[in-house]
Amino acid sequence: MATSDIPRSDSSRRRRRPNRRHTLTATAVVLALAGAGLGAWTFLSPATAVQGLADGDVLDGRKAALASAYLDAEAVGGKDGVRATLDNHPIAAKPEGKRLRLALPRLADGRHTLVVEGGGDSLPFASAREVVDFTVDTKAPELKIAEPEVKGADAPVNLTGRAATDARVTVDGKDVPVDEKGAFSITVPKGTPVVKVAAVDRAGNTTTQDVSTRARRPMIRAAHITAIGWGDDKLRGGILALVRSGKLNAVQLDVKDEDGEIGYASQVPLARQIGSAKGYYDARKAVAEIHAAGAQVIGRIVAFRDPKLASAAWKAGKRTQVVLTPDGTPYGGGHYGALSFTNFADPTVRKYNQDLAVEAAGLGFDDILYDYVRRPDGPLSRMRFPGIRATTPEQSITSFVADTRTAMRPHGKYLGVSVFGIAATRPTEIAQDIPALAKVSDYIAPMVYPSHWGPGEYGVAAPDTAPYAIVQRSLADFARQTKGTRSEIVPWLQDFSMGSTYGPTQVADQIKAAAANKMNSFILWNAGARYQGAALQQIAAR
């Protein structure tokens, strides 16, 4: 006779044995959630027959799917002395060694009742009964978060939302008070780009959301100037005149340039050690002068093209700080020359650039804009990046930018990333993954100079002579790849002649092409810092 066919003990049988106990003995039932990491439970006292599954328990989907119940066959009088039902449906009991395994069906959401009864001639009692009511809940808890109002990079953000009333809510792992209606509110520190909000219900079901709490970079129109150029009264005066006339609202001033030289007297220890801190300008005075003129200051840091650091590292025998060839010699990087590129995967190299970013932010620069935040161009098979391990170059570059964002967080400044125009379509050629970088920076600054595109790119036969077409089409790709993020596109535009002569019309055409993609920000590049103000319109008052 099958276990499920054994009839319940009737009342007459109980009357013949009035002194028998009606509770299973302390070792009668062992209940386990097999594979769910909950182990097995043995009775600690006769009052609690079923262990590990008590009245009122709530199981999530994972635990419910793996649930199994076991009985000690000997303690309950053998397999013929036990009866089990789930929601009034018999459950078969199959011997497994000295135990009986109760074949639980797939548990649907809702309340369930497990009844275990034991009794037999081998027991000193007629029957015993244990009832356990429990609930299966596989539905993730509700979690709704209002779009945060972000007033600026230097201001804290108030985050509000609503969760299921039985849920525990955390923000970045910290508990947040929830009222009786499930509402919660928390202030996020300034400069925090993203927070993870989680709601966990009684069953352990979890709903998470990554919420961007960083401000979008307001519109900027800037022009580039080198550290040495800033010391030239005429060059500096020309740019500040464009600011005062209302045509520019930002100045891009180099912090560290392509030679690895730092424009001001940096106090970063490694900069002092290798002699890269040149002191061409006083950082605080330069920032104050630009602010007084009515503009913000973008500090450009040329990250991994750094012959100063590369040469010092090689000389000191610290070869992991340099991009190498497969045979262990410095990678020449084409026209850049040997010892031009430092290794983006090396901890010292990464920290050096991040320390400069944090220092510049502390000195008053409003933005940090990385340049050459990439691997050298050329065949990847000819390069080695010591320490990169299992990650790809693109992932390593992205993590470097993300780490900088974290390091800069207390200062609440904006972080931008300069990228090649081809990064939108050929990211692995220079290790710049645009969708990934957009998630860890405030803006992407693609260099879409018409003179730098090859014939036929984006269907433009001669890009250098068609500035509107090539800029409009290439920036459309960047718009698509950053859609859904809070990262802005701030293109580098060409204000210099290379092949074709560029005057105000050609510069203005690029600005119009950017605007056609709803990109009203830009940074002008002219290595000599001589800009054509006639190409620029006055910035409308806001």
Side-chain angles (χ1 to χ4, degrees):
M1 180 181 292
T3 305
S4 57
D5 295 329
I6 297 176
R8 295 175 184 267
S9 301
D10 58 26
S11 57
S12 62
R13 191 173 179 185
R14 284 197 293 271
R15 283 195 297 271
R16 286 196 297 270
R17 297 182 180 180
N19 297 323
R20 304 301 188 193
R21 295 179 59 185
H22 299 289
T23 302
L24 295 176
T25 61
T27 58
V29 178
V30 178
L31 183 75
L33 293 178
L38 299 179
W41 297 274
T42 302
F43 294 131
L44 301 179
S45 70
T48 55
V50 178
Q51 296 293 311
L53 192 62
D55 281 340
D57 275 3
V58 182
L59 304 181
D60 65 10
R62 185 179 71 91
K63 293 176 182 177
L66 298 172
S68 296
Y70 293 91
L71 303 175
D72 185 327
E74 186 175 321
V76 295
K79 69 184 184 73
D80 292 333
V82 67
R83 172 187 172 91
T85 61
L86 180 68
D87 302 329
N88 294 318
H89 295 287
I91 302 173
K94 298 180 180 180
E96 287 188 3
K98 294 184 178 181
R99 301 188 302 175
L100 294 176
R101 181 179 182 276
L102 299 180
L104 296 179
R106 181 173 181 175
L107 298 171
D109 273 31
R111 292 179 59 86
H112 297 276
T113 300
L114 174 66
V115 178
V116 178
E117 295 178 303
D121 293 338
S122 62
L123 292 176
F125 57 88
S127 66
R129 193 167 187 266
E130 185 76 11
V131 179
V132 175
D133 291 316
F134 64 96
T135 301
V136 173
D137 179 7
T138 63
K139 185 179 179 181
E142 178 187 32
L143 177 62
K144 294 182 179 180
I145 301 172
E147 180 72 17
E149 181 180 354
V150 187
K151 297 180 180 179
D154 58 350
V157 178
N158 187 45
L159 190 68
T160 62
R162 186 178 299 276
T165 55
D166 68 338
R168 169 176 170 253
V169 176
T170 62
V171 175
D172 282 346
K174 297 180 179 179
D175 285 321
V176 176
V178 179
D179 67 17
E180 66 278 0
K181 295 182 179 180
F184 62 89
S185 176
I186 186 174
T187 299
V188 179
K190 67 178 182 179
T192 304
V194 179
V195 294
K196 184 178 289 295
V197 183
V200 184
D201 65 16
R202 289 186 305 154
N205 300 302
T206 303
T207 300
T208 62
Q209 289 187 33
D210 289 329
V211 183
S212 176
T213 52
R214 68 184 181 200
R216 286 187 175 275
R217 182 57 173 101
M219 188 266 286
I220 47 172
R221 296 186 172 182
H224 158 79
I225 189 168
T226 65
I228 293 176
W230 185 254
D232 185 296
D233 292 343
K234 186 176 181 180
L235 296 179
R236 181 178 71 255
I239 290 179
L240 291 177
L242 291 173
V243 170
R244 294 188 179 101
S245 68
K247 293 185 174 183
L248 296 178
N249 65 359
V251 175
Q252 185 272 288
L253 177 60
D254 280 356
V255 171
K256 178 160 72 82
D257 63 17
E258 292 86 344
D259 293 325
E261 293 186 346
I262 300 169
Y264 58 83
S266 173
Q267 298 304 303
V268 171
L270 185 54
R272 309 293 292 182
Q273 179 185 331
I274 66 176
S276 59
K278 297 301 181 182
Y280 295 129
Y281 63 85
D282 183 305
R284 293 191 184 278
K285 287 183 179 180
V287 168
E289 184 175 3
I290 295 169
H291 284 170
Q296 294 187 312
V297 193
I298 303 169
R300 172 175 171 258
I301 296 178
V302 177
F304 303 124
R305 181 183 173 184
D306 192 336
K308 196 76 177 175
L309 177 58
S311 297
W314 192 263
K315 185 177 180 180
K318 300 175 182 178
R319 303 195 172 189
T320 60
Q321 296 179 19
V322 177
V323 176
L324 303 174
T325 62
D327 64 5
T329 59
Y331 180 78
H335 64 278
Y336 298 110
L339 293 173
S340 293
F341 276 87
T342 53
N343 176 19
F344 55 80
D346 181 81
T348 299
V349 173
R350 292 163 73 100
K351 186 176 186 302
Y352 176 50
N353 286 285
Q354 290 162 0
D355 286 349
L356 287 173
V358 171
E359 180 182 62
L363 289 169
F365 285 81
D366 301 286
D367 295 31
I368 299 300
L369 176 59
Y370 276 136
D371 203 349
Y372 285 86
V373 59
R374 61 178 179 86
R375 73 168 177 86
D377 39 318
L380 190 59
S381 61
R382 298 180 185 176
M383 305 175 199
R384 281 183 52 229
F385 312 105
I388 195 169
R389 297 187 177 88
T391 189
T392 65
E394 295 76 41
Q395 291 168 334
S396 184
I397 293 292
T398 300
S399 70
F400 163 76
V401 176
D403 290 346
T404 302
R405 158 61 65 188
T406 300
M408 286 177 54
R409 182 178 296 178
H411 296 284
K413 303 302 178 70
Y414 295 105
L415 177 62
V417 182
S418 299
V419 299
F420 272 13
I422 63 169
T425 55
R426 304 188 287 279
T428 59
E429 287 193 12
I430 30 74
Q432 292 179 329
D433 182 335
I434 301 306
L437 289 170
K439 295 177 181 178
V440 295
S441 63
D442 296 301
Y443 57 95
I444 303 293
M447 296 174 280
V448 290
Y449 311 132
S451 63
H452 285 37
W453 292 100
E457 290 274 6
Y458 287 100
V460 181
D464 189 40
T465 62
Y468 181 91
I470 191 63
V471 170
Q472 188 277 325
R473 295 177 191 181
S474 59
L475 287 181
D477 258 349
F478 282 93
R480 282 190 287 270
Q481 294 206 12
T482 57
K483 186 177 181 180
T485 73
R486 296 181 69 86
S487 189
E488 297 288 334
I489 302 295
V490 182
W492 284 98
L493 302 181
Q494 177 175 337
D495 193 354
F496 59 90
S497 298
M498 180 182 287
S500 299
T501 300
Y502 268 46
T505 299
Q506 288 73 23
V507 176
D509 280 349
Q510 295 173 78
I511 296 172
K512 292 174 185 176
N517 285 295
K518 298 182 180 180
M519 301 171 189
N520 296 311
S521 296
F522 59 79
I523 306 173
L524 298 177
W525 176 274
N526 181 291
R530 295 176 175 86
Y531 295 96
Q532 303 181 80
L536 306 176
Q537 300 292 321
Q538 282 195 321
I539 299 171
R542 289 176 176 257

